Amino acid sequence: MSANPAINPIQQSSSIRHDWRLDEVQALYALPFNDLVFKAQAIHREHFDPNEIQVSSLLSIKTGSCSEDCGYCPQSARYDSDLTPEALMPVDAVLKAARQARDQGASRFCMGAAWRQPKDRDIERVVEMVQGVKALGMETCVTLGMLTDEQTARLKEGGLDYYNHNLDTSEDYYSEVITTRTYQDRLDTLARVRDAGINVCCGGIVGMGESDVDRSKLLIELANLPKHPESVPINMLVQVEGTPLMGTEALDPLVFIRTIAVARIMMPGSRVRLSAGRNNMSDEMQALCFLAGANSIFYGDKLLTTDNPMTNHDLRLFERLGLRSGGSSYA
Ligand code: SAM
Ligand code: DTB
Ligand code: SF4
């Protein structure tokens, strides 16, 4: 069972904690699969309706030509990923896509831009998008890279509900994947967003060749933030031709499900999102992720630039599993 007999991870309570230690997290990962998933599901039921999934749709509002060198990302200008760059979209085209996402059943619309950081004039157009999407009755999320205090305040004033900014991996592994901005830069942006009163969407990517310890340390970074992110996207690396991480050895799917379960246990009140990578997962694997405590997905035929399961397939999967979409507000 646990590597350290002094720790009994099955009996830990589900209180909201911000003092997770590596030995405890590794002990959770090391539980027999059934014990881990049972514990995660039990905690999940204390905090959420287990059959309700929050549904977000993504749109890339500015695509490619990014100055950063994130080794997983097809949008970096440094890699030859066969992507056509696109300038910041006009507001009306964004609202058309949001209306379509809403009509297909999404409750939150997430707009992503391939920037290291936005310019002030970009922020004004993004605020117009946020206001337009809110007027459609949807929650709003944007992911624009690093922000200044003034830009963060402007987004809050404009009514933005969520800001997505991922830590991506552990601090130790980070420099293997990204060199053009630091882990501390990311933590600083997250603190700005939190301090401005915007809900935080923050998670990471697994399957990038990181170790078990790196996965544990990523979850510790997230759970030991002063407040847990309201949304925690767990992405499975989508391997894209031309990016440095193309060809990385695939992660054991059971380790991915364990990661969802451990995230659920460590952040009991957060929406844990089964994020990128679903297109390469079987329906049965996704069902196990929901059992392990995932209660949010990206929905719609596309993520930002890569394919996601078709909406019809997801609707059918929800029906087969007796799942409902809902619960868009933070529990
Ligand atoms: N440019 C902004 C930034 O990096 O902060 C926002 C957009 S960026 C594409 C948002 C997130 O998407 C990244 O932090 C990363 O976690 C995720 N992502 C990008 N490419 C991915 C891939 N190939 N597989 C899985 N997740 C990916
Ligand atoms: C997140 O954690 N994953 C999303 C969203 N936040 C912005 C992005 C996934 C991108 C996958 C690769 C692509 O489609 O470009
Ligand atoms: Fe640029 Fe964001 Fe992609 Fe990094 S993840 S290359 S910052 S778009």
Side-chain angles (χ1 to χ4, degrees):
M1 220 181 63
S2 137
N4 177 349
I7 300 166
N8 184 344
I10 289 198
Q11 282 172 10
Q12 280 165 1
S13 81
S14 71
S15 59
I16 303 288
R17 291 179 48 193
H18 302 272
D19 58 354
W20 287 92
R21 297 188 320 268
L22 184 59
D23 60 339
E24 293 176 288
V25 179
Q26 289 186 297
L28 286 172
Y29 263 107
L31 282 170
F33 187 81
N34 288 346
D35 289 346
L36 175 61
V37 172
F38 179 82
K39 180 176 172 65
Q41 176 65 201
I43 289 177
H44 189 48
R45 283 167 185 262
E46 286 176 23
H47 293 266
F48 292 101
D49 175 338
N51 300 311
E52 186 185 78
I53 306 287
Q54 185 273 326
V55 172
S56 293
S57 282
L58 274 169
L59 177 69
S60 180
I61 58 171
K62 185 268 168 186
T63 305
S65 302
C66 183
S67 62
E68 303 301 276
D69 70 351
C70 310
Y72 47 76
C73 186
Q75 304 205 64
S76 168
R78 297 165 194 243
Y79 314 134
D80 189 10
S81 65
D82 199 22
L83 185 85
T84 311
E86 279 172 47
L88 184 60
M89 286 173 70
V91 175
D92 56 351
V94 172
L95 298 186
K96 187 171 168 211
R99 201 172 299 111
Q100 190 183 356
R102 181 197 63 184
D103 294 346
Q104 286 177 335
S107 64
R108 189 181 305 167
F109 196 62
C110 306
M111 296 163 270
W115 286 318
R116 172 182 168 82
Q117 56 195 102
K119 298 190 179 70
D120 289 345
R121 68 179 142 84
D122 298 326
I123 291 286
E124 287 314 309
R125 200 187 300 176
V126 172
V127 164
E128 279 182 58
M129 294 173 189
V130 165
Q131 290 171 340
V133 172
K134 281 179 83 79
L136 295 172
M138 302 179 87
E139 291 186 319
T140 52
C141 179
V142 299
T143 179
L144 314 173
M146 298 187 287
L147 297 176
T148 63
D149 284 338
E150 294 70 28
Q151 291 173 337
T152 317
R154 181 72 189 104
L155 289 170
K156 172 67 184 170
E157 184 191 66
L160 179 68
D161 298 305
Y162 289 80
Y163 195 81
N164 166 250
H165 199 64
N166 290 338
L167 286 175
D168 280 350
T169 186
S170 71
E171 184 164 17
D172 301 339
Y173 196 64
Y174 183 86
S175 59
E176 301 285 320
V177 181
I178 300 147
T179 69
T180 48
R181 61 179 141 156
T182 66
Y183 211 68
Q184 191 58 48
D185 288 333
R186 290 186 186 246
L187 291 167
D188 291 347
T189 297
L190 289 166
R192 276 196 185 95
V193 170
R194 178 57 83 204
D195 291 348
I198 300 171
N199 292 310
V200 172
C201 172
C202 181
I205 310 175
V206 295
M208 298 197 294
E210 73 285 341
S211 67
D212 293 348
V213 171
D214 291 314
R215 285 185 285 276
S216 294
K217 285 187 170 177
L218 165 66
L219 294 179
I220 290 172
E221 289 283 351
L222 296 168
N224 290 356
L225 287 168
K227 192 172 175 203
H228 292 169
E230 283 77 9
S231 289
V232 179
I234 305 292
N235 296 276
M236 178 77 107
L237 174 70
V238 178
Q239 299 201 9
V240 184
E241 208 65 61
T243 59
L245 290 184
M246 179 69 203
T248 305
E249 193 184 338
L251 183 70
D252 177 353
L254 294 176
V255 175
F256 183 87
I257 299 163
R258 283 181 182 272
T259 302
I260 297 271
V262 177
R264 164 56 61 225
I265 293 166
M266 293 172 73
M267 293 169 278
S270 302
R271 287 268 164 195
V272 175
R273 183 174 308 131
L274 172 53
S275 303
R278 285 199 304 120
N279 212 26
N280 298 318
M281 295 177 195
S282 67
D283 291 345
E284 294 77 11
M285 175 171 171
Q286 294 183 60
L288 279 172
C289 290
F290 296 131
L291 188 65
N295 62 349
S296 170
I297 57 163
F298 284 124
Y299 170 73
D301 302 349
K302 254 206 154 130
L303 291 164
L304 289 174
T305 67
T306 63
D307 290 341
N308 200 38
M310 305 294 278
T311 49
N312 280 346
H313 189 97
D314 278 342
L315 292 173
R316 175 86 187 107
L317 180 62
F318 271 38
E319 194 180 298
R320 289 166 69 212
L321 296 175
L323 296 173
R324 284 173 278 105
S325 66
S328 54
S329 297
Y330 181 48

